[in-house]
Amino acid sequence: MVSENLSQDTLAEQLLELAIKSGAEAAEVYQSRSLSRPIFFEANRLKQVETSQSEGTVLRLWRNGRPGLTVAYGAVSPQAMVERSLALSQLNQPESADLVGNFQPSYPNLGNSVPIEVLINWGKEAIALIKDVYPDVLCNSDWECDVESTRLINTQGLDCYYTDTTLSCYMSAEWVRGDDFLSVSDGQTQRNELQPEKLAQQILQRLMWARENVKAPSGRVPVLFTSKAADMLWGAIQAALNGKRVLEKASPWANRLGTLVVAPSLTLYQDPEAGPYSCPFDDEGSPTQALVFVRNGILEQFYSDRTTGRQLGMSSTGNGFRPNLSSYPTPGLYNFLIQPSSPSLENLIEQMDDGLIVDQMLGGGNGISGDFSINIDLGYRVQNGNVIGRIKDTMVAGNIYSALKQLVSLGGDAQWNGSCYTPSLIVEGLSITSKNS
């Protein structure tokens, strides 16, 4: 198993020993290994089965107070890594070697692997369910079991590691109707088991809604973002909660602690044990923790790494993550959850007299400002609480912060979209423009 190889590997110890012998005052080693077994379906048929492995090692050391970082992939020469890190440290300004110490936890492995045959059967089942209803639709999908192992060790006594096994799938259904091309897609990321029937039913629902093309509304009408599309709204919010952005005075919420920043029905939080994106420690070795960022619309706290937390006059929240192996840890979120309400997606639709559903989009938010303008890739018109058809050539624009203050209703259909767990929701205050309205 990947986890056993990583936890028993002596490379990390060799790197630390060589670094200290070469004059470094402190050092840390971050190791990541993964084993992936994806299968691919194309045009309703099994196309290929793959197995891929990757391995990365990061050495960060400090000599004369100056940091040097080196990344290597695959086989590693410990001496070469140390020499390169020492050479790079001469080019950097001095900084504090703020390392977690004397922390040697034992974490259970997360998730269970499944055989390739099971992945193939899941893929065939999902495709068959769609083909039974729409024989002319072409389905493409990939199904994957991914085992990732992480270890972090340093010269202050830290040594922690864990293995995480996740299952994921993605499916698109393409329907050509004369000159009209429709593509509906959806996916899942879970531990232990995927749900091909649920995935197929979600796609079948969208295909049914899209049987007719209709004119889009114009002006300002309520907009329902499905749980698949709602992730777009939360990127700016996650940036506004970033302690580093607060220090830079870039966050619009920098001076808003204790005040109402979004609708009172919204509670935003992270949970170290929630869903397939949970993790026991961050990339600095700090234990992750449950945090409520916004409770009932009121801003309670930000997230930070060790350096940012110290500069903010607070301790790390366990949110120091590397954007990639060659980067230093910086404040980041490993999961972000929006507390759902109770209405189903169908109940939300029934609440709308005249409105728009956004399910897939082209483009996204415009950073921390919250301003956005998106082309709707897949959207639907609602009248009198019913979906009457698909809309085309339509854009939605507005500001995310303003929209979340005008939240009409929150759904109970939360699901993981990347590392964001969000339900569907209806907001007002957005502008809709269309060629066909």
Side-chain angles (χ1 to χ4, degrees):
M1 289 293 293
V2 175
S3 60
E4 294 174 350
N5 292 337
L6 188 53
S7 64
Q8 296 175 9
D9 196 350
T10 61
L11 171 63
E13 286 83 355
Q14 294 178 49
L15 287 167
L16 294 184
E17 182 179 357
L18 279 172
I20 297 301
K21 287 182 177 179
S22 301
E25 301 97 39
E28 70 173 9
V29 176
Y30 179 89
Q31 292 178 289
S32 176
R33 291 180 180 174
S34 67
L35 172 65
S36 178
R37 301 195 303 271
I39 65 165
F40 301 90
F41 289 84
E42 186 175 284
N44 303 329
R45 297 174 180 271
L46 177 64
K47 180 182 179 183
Q48 64 188 48
V49 178
E50 295 182 358
T51 298
S52 62
Q53 292 180 286
S54 64
E55 176 180 352
T57 303
V58 182
L59 170 65
R60 183 167 59 149
L61 55 73
W62 287 260
R63 185 169 68 173
N64 300 324
R66 298 173 183 269
L69 183 147
T70 300
V71 182
Y73 298 92
V76 172
S77 168
Q79 187 65 47
M81 282 196 74
V82 171
E83 291 176 355
R84 182 169 175 80
S85 295
L86 290 171
L88 289 172
S89 71
Q90 300 178 36
L91 305 177
N92 293 322
Q93 296 298 315
E95 68 173 35
S96 172
D98 186 12
L99 299 177
V100 176
N102 300 317
F103 179 47
Q104 296 182 309
S106 175
Y107 294 107
N109 292 343
L110 302 174
N112 296 309
S113 181
V114 301
I116 289 177
E117 293 77 15
V118 173
L119 296 175
I120 293 174
N121 289 336
W122 283 342
K124 290 180 177 179
E125 178 184 349
I127 291 174
L129 288 169
I130 294 173
K131 291 288 292 177
D132 283 346
V133 182
Y134 295 95
D136 297 332
V137 167
L138 294 178
C139 296
N140 303 312
S141 68
D142 58 81
W143 302 72
E144 183 172 348
C145 176
D146 188 47
V147 184
E148 295 186 357
S149 187
T150 300
R151 187 187 187 196
L152 183 61
I153 180 172
N154 67 29
T155 52
Q156 298 300 311
L158 173 75
D159 188 0
C160 50
Y161 61 89
Y162 75 102
T163 295
D164 189 359
T165 301
T166 55
L167 306 175
S168 62
C169 62
Y170 175 84
M171 172 175 282
S172 65
E174 299 176 352
W175 192 10
V176 179
R177 303 173 292 186
D179 295 332
D180 186 28
F181 175 78
L182 172 67
S183 178
V184 179
S185 60
D186 214 330
Q188 296 175 359
T189 301
Q190 298 179 173
R191 288 202 179 100
N192 304 324
E193 185 179 15
L194 295 173
Q195 299 171 293
E197 182 177 359
K198 179 180 179 181
L199 177 64
Q201 292 303 322
Q202 289 172 328
I203 291 178
L204 285 171
Q205 176 72 81
R206 271 63 175 178
L207 289 171
M208 183 188 72
W209 285 345
R211 285 182 297 181
E212 300 289 337
N213 292 333
V214 299
K215 290 185 177 181
S218 60
R220 295 181 182 272
V221 299
V223 178
L224 190 161
F225 289 87
T226 65
S227 55
K228 182 172 63 174
D231 178 55
M232 187 278 296
L233 299 171
W234 304 115
I237 301 302
Q238 293 180 47
L241 294 168
N242 188 321
K244 189 173 183 180
R245 297 296 185 96
V246 174
L247 281 173
E248 297 167 347
K249 305 299 182 184
S251 171
W253 292 352
N255 300 310
R256 300 291 304 280
L257 282 173
T259 67
L260 192 72
V261 291
V262 291
S265 55
L266 284 172
T267 293
L268 318 177
Y269 65 104
Q270 75 174 19
D271 180 352
E273 299 181 359
Y277 295 94
S278 61
C279 65
F281 57 86
D282 69 5
D283 292 347
E284 296 181 301
S286 298
T288 53
Q289 54 185 297
L291 299 171
V292 177
F293 303 115
V294 175
R295 190 190 307 271
N296 299 327
I298 296 175
L299 177 63
E300 291 194 349
Q301 64 179 318
F302 305 106
Y303 61 88
S304 69
D305 58 6
R306 291 175 67 82
T307 299
T308 303
R310 185 173 61 252
Q311 293 171 335
L312 286 171
M314 55 185 277
S315 61
S316 169
T317 59
N319 287 82
F321 291 97
R322 291 174 166 87
N324 52 65
L325 289 183
S326 60
S327 300
Y328 288 84
T330 189
L333 286 171
Y334 54 92
N335 59 17
F336 185 72
L337 298 91
I338 294 84
Q339 184 172 295
S341 184
S342 56
S344 65
L345 178 59
E346 290 74 18
N347 294 149
L348 291 182
I349 294 172
E350 290 171 358
Q351 296 177 25
M352 304 174 74
D353 292 328
D354 186 22
L356 184 69
I357 298 175
V358 177
D359 193 48
Q360 294 172 193
M361 64 196 76
L362 302 173
N366 190 22
I368 199 169
S369 71
D371 294 325
F372 72 94
S373 178
I374 57 169
N375 288 295
I376 299 176
D377 181 44
L378 183 58
Y380 310 96
R381 178 78 179 268
V382 178
Q383 286 185 334
N384 300 319
N386 295 298
V387 177
I388 64 169
R390 174 195 180 197
I391 55 94
K392 300 177 65 175
D393 301 317
T394 302
M395 295 184 64
V396 173
N399 182 273
I400 290 170
Y401 301 105
S402 298
L404 292 177
K405 290 178 181 178
Q406 300 182 65
L407 180 68
V408 175
S409 189
L410 195 64
D413 60 338
Q415 63 181 22
W416 290 98
N417 192 340
S419 60
C420 180
Y421 184 73
T422 175
S424 301
L425 63 145
I426 302 174
V427 297
E428 291 184 338
L430 302 181
S431 176
I432 300 168
T433 57
S434 174
K435 294 180 180 179
N436 302 316
S437 57

